[in-house]
Amino acid sequence: MGTPPTPARETRPDRPTRASGRRRPRRLRVDDVTVVDPAMMKRAIGGTVVGNTMEWYDVGVYGYLAVTMGRVFLPEADPSLQILFSLGVFASTYVARPLGGVVFGRLGDRVGRQKVLATTLILMAGATFLIGVLPDFAAIGALAPIALVVLKLLQGFSTGGEYAGATTFVSEYAPDKRRGFFASILDLGSYLGFALGAAVVSVLQLLTTEQQMLDWAWRLPFLLAGVLGVVAIYFRLKIEESPAFQATQDAQENKVGEIADAQGRPRNTLALVRQHWRPIVIAIGLVAASNTVGYALTSYMPTYLTDSLGYDPLHGTLLTIPVLVLLALLLPVAGRLSDRIGRRPVMWLGAASVLLLALPAFLLIGVGSIATTLAGLSLLAVSVALWVSSQASSLPALFPTASRYGAMGVSYNVAIAVFGGTTPLIIQALLQATGNELVPAFFLMATSLIGAVAVWFMKESSQRPLPGSMPSVATEAEAHELVETQDANPHIDLGDLPFLDAEPAEPAATAASAASPSRGTES
């Protein structure tokens, strides 16, 4: 890290201006700019990526074993009911996420991102491991599906703080000009984790019989999560707190400027929602669009290929693995593109691609051959990459530092609960109700229209400092260049930056006549 940033305070909507005779912004100085330490940046990204990979490995394993889990925990039910039960249990995980997002989000804004992220990972890995040792229906009867739901709820509660915290953490560490690229690596880890889950399930399907999968082999991927969790926890405990949060925390403790007042950190969740309801609504719209198409490709597609199109479980799993790897590799490319042309244009492309490609994708998948199925899945992967790549950098930029984790926890997890984790269940129910195999495409198109409206109201954040934080750069040379060009830089607005030891202004009666160009941009 370069010169530590001066403790920052959150920008207040009602902050006094020079014309009021109280305060005015001063010019940006080199020691105001955060210079990211490369080694710490790599450690921060690695520590968050392994946790997110772990989370999506868990999601992937359950998604690819959905049909098997229904037969294990409801063996006497009708096959269609078994599938709905299994997908319903999957959806229950996401019902618990908003509560976890609220609890861990508030803690993350108070005690720090790193501590909370370590806690969520421990709970998440523990719950997944316990599913692997859970007695089945043959052993304890109706208590088995109940216990499964309880563990999935615990898993959902813990993961409620995972993605919101991870995206917040990486975004606060990343340089402003490369935030899109570095944040997209987080989702690269997510889809590689999903692919890893698919690969583990595929190996088991190759090495065991169908009856062995039902008897004991389904447990192994969940038990493996315990081992992966220990490794992930080790890496996460080695990361340090983000500089943006630490600067805000120091300002709170030292009561610098006005940061300690009620505008800095809302007193409770209700106050948080009242204060940030507009960006929260925008975030929900963005997450609804990106995650419905994402979960349709990942969590639901194995069930769709097996139950609706007649593929055997092995091929239903294997067909999605290369597409997931392709998607993971596309994410950093699209993330870097968002750094160059902006988050909003990339998301516009995401919305347009769903509207144009969703129907052709499902038509190709419906043909039934391996080649057309891969082609259709690849079309969906392009849409997911365009939508998801900018999500991890755009959502944290909607909220100020002092309440970012909490607001992210609320908005992201509410959207996930309503639109994301329930996507497989909703699509399966619509398919059974209508018998129309194109209904998933229409559902994805509808949610992308919602997302397009959210993009319209979203402010561009590419190459700009996060709200409530000072500029962040990769090198000392960039810091000097930023200070020298601050007046002409379209991505820097001194009035939007925190007042670091702002200079007292002249009395209001003389402020206008005392204006001087050398003082820089005024608020």
Side-chain angles (χ1 to χ4, degrees):
M1 190 72 61
T3 305
T6 308
R9 73 171 181 80
E10 301 296 333
T11 304
R12 296 183 54 183
D14 60 343
R15 69 171 183 269
T17 63
R18 179 177 179 177
S20 70
R22 292 171 60 192
R23 288 184 182 272
R24 64 186 176 193
R26 60 166 172 77
R27 289 177 61 78
L28 195 65
R29 297 194 297 251
V30 172
D31 60 357
D32 296 328
V33 181
T34 300
V35 180
V36 176
D37 183 290
M40 291 179 65
M41 179 72 203
K42 291 178 181 178
R43 195 180 307 158
I45 292 177
T48 49
V49 166
V50 294
N52 225 39
T53 302
M54 172 73 195
E55 175 191 354
W56 277 72
Y57 168 83
D58 298 342
V59 174
V61 164
Y62 190 89
Y64 285 100
L65 288 175
V67 175
T68 300
M69 298 297 283
R71 295 176 64 184
V72 169
F73 286 92
L74 280 185
E76 300 174 359
D78 182 80
S80 61
L81 182 59
Q82 290 175 346
I83 293 174
L84 286 176
F85 164 76
S86 188
L87 295 179
V89 172
F90 180 82
S92 71
T93 304
Y94 292 82
V95 173
R97 288 184 69 144
L99 179 59
V102 169
V103 172
F104 290 118
R106 295 291 292 170
L107 285 174
D109 283 333
R110 292 183 178 277
V111 305
R113 285 67 160 121
Q114 187 270 344
K115 296 182 181 68
V116 172
L117 284 172
T119 303
T120 59
L121 185 55
I122 291 170
L123 290 174
M124 184 170 58
T128 305
F129 178 80
L130 289 176
I131 291 175
V133 298
L134 186 66
D136 59 15
F137 189 91
I140 59 175
L143 289 178
I146 294 174
L148 177 63
V149 171
V150 170
L151 288 176
K152 292 297 288 182
L153 288 172
L154 176 60
Q155 193 181 66
F157 177 76
S158 60
T159 55
E162 174 64 29
Y163 187 81
T167 53
T168 293
F169 194 83
V170 171
S171 293
E172 290 179 348
Y173 250 108
D176 296 334
K177 289 185 177 181
R178 304 191 69 194
R179 184 172 297 116
F181 171 72
F182 285 122
S184 68
I185 294 176
L186 189 65
D187 287 306
L188 179 149
S190 299
Y191 288 101
L192 286 181
F194 206 99
L196 176 62
V200 170
V201 173
S202 297
V203 170
L204 286 175
Q205 290 171 334
L206 282 170
L207 298 179
T208 63
T209 65
E210 182 179 352
Q211 190 59 46
Q212 287 174 327
M213 282 293 293
L214 292 171
D215 290 341
W216 55 268
W218 67 268
R219 299 180 183 277
L220 298 182
F222 296 102
L223 297 176
L224 179 60
V227 178
L228 297 176
V230 171
V231 176
I233 290 166
Y234 169 78
F235 281 103
R236 183 157 288 186
L237 290 174
K238 293 178 71 68
I239 61 179
E240 299 181 24
E241 192 55 77
S242 77
F245 173 80
Q246 192 59 57
T248 303
Q249 193 75 352
D250 293 342
Q252 289 280 357
E253 292 175 358
N254 299 324
K255 301 188 185 302
V256 174
E258 299 169 2
I259 194 172
D261 70 16
Q263 293 291 336
R265 180 180 294 153
R267 295 183 300 276
N268 52 50
T269 302
L270 185 59
L272 176 80
V273 173
R274 281 201 304 264
Q275 183 173 334
H276 301 296
W277 71 268
R278 294 178 189 274
I280 284 175
V281 171
I282 292 173
I284 289 174
L286 298 176
V287 175
S290 61
N291 280 272
T292 48
V293 66
Y295 277 82
L297 177 63
T298 54
S299 299
Y300 178 68
M301 198 51 64
T303 301
Y304 180 70
L305 294 177
T306 302
D307 185 61
S308 297
L309 300 184
Y311 281 94
D312 62 84
L314 177 60
H315 282 89
T317 301
L318 288 175
L319 283 171
T320 58
I321 293 177
V323 177
L324 289 172
V325 174
L326 170 66
L327 170 58
L329 296 177
L330 286 175
L331 287 169
V333 176
R336 189 183 293 275
L337 180 65
S338 77
D339 284 330
R340 296 179 64 86
I341 68 173
R343 318 281 188 241
R344 297 176 79 235
V346 172
M347 287 186 172
W348 283 125
L349 290 173
S353 69
V354 173
L355 295 175
L356 295 174
L357 300 179
L359 278 174
F362 278 90
L363 286 171
L364 285 169
I365 293 170
V367 171
S369 71
I370 291 178
T372 58
T373 298
L374 285 174
L377 294 176
S378 298
L379 290 180
L380 290 178
V382 171
S383 296
V384 175
L386 291 170
W387 260 125
V388 172
S389 61
S390 298
Q391 180 176 271
S393 53
S394 297
L395 298 182
L398 293 171
F399 308 104
T401 304
S403 53
R404 181 172 295 127
Y405 198 156
M408 277 283 295
V410 171
S411 55
Y412 180 80
N413 289 294
V414 167
I416 281 290
V418 177
F419 296 100
T422 58
T423 292
L425 180 63
I426 292 173
I427 292 179
Q428 183 68 17
L430 288 174
L431 276 170
Q432 292 186 6
T434 64
N436 185 350
E437 293 187 355
L438 293 180
V439 74
F442 295 120
F443 180 68
L444 300 185
M445 292 165 70
T447 56
S448 276
L449 285 175
I450 295 174
V453 174
V455 175
W456 176 268
F457 289 100
M458 182 184 78
K459 291 183 178 179
E460 182 58 67
S461 60
S462 177
Q463 302 191 43
R464 293 164 173 80
L466 291 170
S469 299
M470 297 301 282
S472 178
V473 297
T475 65
E476 291 282 355
E478 284 187 43
H480 285 277
E481 180 184 2
L482 181 66
V483 171
E484 292 171 2
T485 61
Q486 60 185 288
D487 295 318
N489 191 329
H491 302 127
I492 297 294
D493 184 344
L494 298 185
D496 286 339
L497 297 178
F499 283 2
L500 305 184
D501 59 344
E503 301 173 7
E506 298 93 278
T510 60
S513 62
S516 170
S518 64
R519 302 307 299 171
T521 305
E522 298 175 358
S523 172

